[in-house]
């Protein structure tokens, strides 16, 4: 793989994982309350805007990456992300990884990779 | 909690699908593709692009509501059911070809999501309110 493509791949996984973790942290903040008040609270957190910034950056990195590699290889990134976010959730939010959960997550990741390979 | 997940993920899937279909329609109406102001104007002069934006916002609100309780690892994986519906709709609405390999991949994704659904089901019987 081209050096630039590899850099974009790493940027994609890191930015997407970071964005999702920030969203999870803001969404599960117990002080936020419910309903509209919860949204007012969440939208006033700087972190949610970091997450949205990550999203926009991921979109641009993705387009740049796809201009360097075929779509089928690009979709493999999606599979990588699923595993990265599972591991990050375990480390940062102490999410329990039961055998059934791990099996389910790995099957989804494999399925995404297979769909990519078949396109 | 099961009802919360069922409604949440169904809504998320609906918004994602609206977003995707509107994006595709907006792109088709704005052909030919070019890096120009004229193309951007064509994209934004059709109602489709606003449907796509509405889909984005709806999906974001739903996702943040789901994440209040849902663990990020399994939830992020489960949100990929969108890949399956996108495939089905591209074949059905836009008459795009779908390969056998892709159908197998879609089947594997669905199998994974069934595992995740069972995993949450067993969390409930264990009496834990917030998984993770």
């Amino acid at each position: 793989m081209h050096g630039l493509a590899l850099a974009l791949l790493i940027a994609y996984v890191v930015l997407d994982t970071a964005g999702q973790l920030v969203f999870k942290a803001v969404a599960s903040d117990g002080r936020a309350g419910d309903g509209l008040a919860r949204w007012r609270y969440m939208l006033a957190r700087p972190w949610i805007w970091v997450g949205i910034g990550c999203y926009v950056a991921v979109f641009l990195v993705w387009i740049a990456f796809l201009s360097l590699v075929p779509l089928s290889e690009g979709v493999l990134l999606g599979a990588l992300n699923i595993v990265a976010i599972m591991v990050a959730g375990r480390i940062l939010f102490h999410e329990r990884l039961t055998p059934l959960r791990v099996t389910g997550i790995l099957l989804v990741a494999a399925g995404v990779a297979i769909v990519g390979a078949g396109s | 909690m099961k009802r919360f997940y069922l409604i949440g993920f169904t809504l998320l899937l609906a918004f994602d699908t609206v977003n995707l279909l509107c994006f595709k329609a907006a792109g088709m109406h704005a052909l030919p593709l070019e890096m120009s102001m004229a193309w951007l104007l064509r994209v934004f002069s059709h109602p489709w692009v606003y449907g796509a934006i509405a889909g984005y916002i709806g999906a974001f609100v739903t996702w943040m509501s789901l994440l209040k309780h849902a663990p990020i690892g399994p939830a992020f994986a489960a949100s990929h059911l969108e890949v399956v519906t996108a495939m089905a709709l591209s074949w059905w609405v836009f008459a795009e070809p779908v390969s056998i390999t892709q159908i197998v991949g879609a089947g594997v994704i669905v199998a994974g999501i069934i595992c995740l659904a069972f995993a949450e089901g067993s969390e409930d019987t264990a009496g834990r309110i917030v998984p993770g």
Side-chain angles (χ1 to χ4, degrees), chain A:
Chain A
M1 191 179 280
H2 194 275
L4 180 61
L6 187 65
L8 288 171
L9 180 151
I10 294 168
Y12 180 90
V13 175
V14 168
L15 285 168
D16 203 18
T17 305
Q20 289 299 336
L21 292 174
V22 166
F23 284 151
K24 172 63 186 164
V26 174
S28 56
D29 187 336
R31 291 166 295 177
D34 281 303
L36 267 182
R38 176 168 178 261
W39 275 95
R40 254 201 304 274
Y41 180 88
M42 287 198 300
L43 290 176
R45 298 299 100 191
W47 281 111
I48 199 172
W49 298 102
V50 172
I52 290 170
C54 284
Y55 238 58
V56 175
V58 161
F59 184 70
L60 297 176
V61 169
W62 172 244
I63 289 175
F65 186 71
L66 284 187
S67 67
L68 295 177
V69 305
L71 184 64
S72 54
E73 280 177 41
V75 176
L76 281 176
L77 265 189
L80 211 59
N81 258 355
I82 294 173
V83 178
I85 290 173
M86 171 184 83
V87 173
R90 173 79 194 88
I91 296 169
L92 286 168
F93 299 106
H94 312 290
E95 290 175 0
R96 268 173 300 117
L97 291 180
T98 58
L100 201 51
R101 265 191 186 172
V102 176
T103 307
I105 292 171
L106 292 182
L107 277 175
V108 172
V112 169
I114 295 170
V115 169
S119 60

Side-chain angles (χ1 to χ4, degrees), chain B residues 3-132:
Chain B
R3 243 176 78 100
F4 172 78
Y5 285 147
L6 189 67
I7 295 170
F9 279 106
T10 307
L11 258 181
L12 183 68
L13 193 64
F15 280 125
D16 276 342
T17 306
V18 165
N19 173 267
L20 199 93
L21 290 177
C22 288
F23 249 127
K24 174 78 183 176
M28 287 188 350
H29 276 92
L31 288 173
L33 174 63
E34 52 194 7
M35 281 299 151
S36 72
M37 209 54 207
W39 176 76
L40 265 185
L41 283 176
R42 280 203 299 278
V43 167
F44 283 95
S45 66
H46 286 280
W48 289 116
V49 74
Y50 301 101
I53 294 169
Y56 259 136
I57 295 172
F60 182 66
V61 171
T62 310
W63 185 235
M64 291 303 278
S65 304
L66 266 171
L67 285 186
K68 187 174 184 181
H69 302 294
I72 184 75
F76 185 73
S79 71
H80 286 76
L81 187 57
E82 185 209 3
V83 174
V84 179
T85 54
M87 239 178 68
L89 284 170
S90 70
W91 172 77
W92 188 45
V93 180
F94 299 105
E96 290 176 4
V98 170
S99 70
I100 298 289
T101 316
Q102 284 178 308
I103 294 172
V104 171
V108 175
I109 293 176
V110 170
I113 288 168
I114 291 171
C115 282
L116 290 174
F118 274 113
E120 294 323 299
S122 54
E123 296 282 327
D124 274 6
T125 52
R128 296 184 186 95
I129 299 163
V130 182

